[in-house]
Amino acid sequence: MKKLIHSFCFSLSLVCAGIGSASAQDAPQTNLPRITLTAGIHQIDTQLALTPDQRQIGLMFRKEMPQQEGMLFVFEQPATQCFWMKNTILPLTAAFVEDDGSIANLADMKPQTTDSHCSTKPVRYVLEMNVGWFAKKGIKAGSKLGGKPFEQAK
């Protein structure tokens, strides 16, 4: 009987350990480097997703994000960038941004979908904000963002 109880407790601890690691894996990224970007007179407190792992996780599992915050995905070179919203709870708008800060196009993205949203031309940057932020500020395709990443193109 003792052996059976020990075996059961050991199995239960493995299951609990698995549950613990799954929830740690599903935690949002909150410790990424930050910079300030501008969109006209508006400032954006921006987290930087620089590595493939950071870009892959992005804003997944985030339950809220202040209106003035966003995440800038930085790629090594311009290419057609496509995004989806698997495991992303917040509705977001993606701005596909050229090297000089010009917005190529915007895409509103629904939470927890695998619909693909792509840039209309090769871009190096994608800025995700809460859905509607760009529209409320009058920022659209052709508008320019400012900040350190876009200063190198000058």
Side-chain angles (χ1 to χ4, degrees), residues 70-82:
M71 182 174 285
L72 185 68
F73 297 78
V74 181
F75 296 88
E76 289 76 23
Q77 57 188 348
T80 299
Q81 307 297 344
C82 293

Side-chain angles (χ1 to χ4, degrees), residues 68-94:
Q68 74 282 0
E69 286 189 19
M71 182 174 285
L72 185 68
F73 297 78
V74 181
F75 296 88
E76 289 76 23
Q77 57 188 348
T80 299
Q81 307 297 344
C82 293
F83 279 59
W84 64 349
M85 297 285 284
K86 184 176 181 179
N87 297 321
T88 306
I89 300 165
L90 300 172
L92 300 170
T93 301

Side-chain angles (χ1 to χ4, degrees), residues 7-45:
S7 176
F8 175 75
C9 289
F10 178 72
S11 296
L12 186 61
S13 69
L14 287 177
V15 169
C16 290
I19 291 170
S21 66
S23 62
Q25 210 174 13
D26 295 348
Q29 298 185 100
T30 56
N31 58 349
L32 297 177
R34 291 180 179 263
I35 62 169
T36 299
L37 297 179
T38 59
I41 61 168
H42 309 285
Q43 290 194 340
I44 306 165
D45 180 16

Side-chain angles (χ1 to χ4, degrees), residues 94-106:
F96 297 95
V97 186
E98 298 177 63
D99 282 358
D100 69 351
S102 298
I103 297 174
N105 62 298
L106 297 164

